[in-house]
Amino acid sequence: MASGKHEETLAAYQKSLAIRQQLAERDKGNAGWQTDLVIGLVKVSTVAEPVQARAALTQARAIDETLAREGKLTAGQQSWPQDLRERLAKLPPEQAEAR
């Protein structure tokens, strides 16, 4: 991304995300794979257009909130639910995305 290759960065993040999704789907009870999926979704959101970023962050938030409810977040991950809410709040309003 720092080199200005936005499309290449997004493609690489999406490829990584696809692998993470496959692993997380294989074992939905594996908190490590689920948190890796959250990380992949957040990475995609950092380079995606607002609509795609919102979808990625919404999915990440749903996974993360489930992990939090189940007590599966580590001490270092306890701030993730709030971070995801803040990232979503920083996106342009959905009406502005449609333009």
Side-chain angles (χ1 to χ4, degrees), residues 36-57:
D36 282 350
L37 179 54
V38 170
I39 292 167
L41 289 161
V42 170
K43 285 183 176 186
V44 166
S45 78
T46 64
V47 294
E49 296 298 321
V51 171
Q52 186 180 9
R54 182 176 304 285
L57 289 173

Side-chain angles (χ1 to χ4, degrees), residues 87-98:
R87 287 174 184 266
L88 277 163
K90 289 178 183 175
L91 291 174
E94 290 184 64
Q95 301 85 352
E97 292 172 6

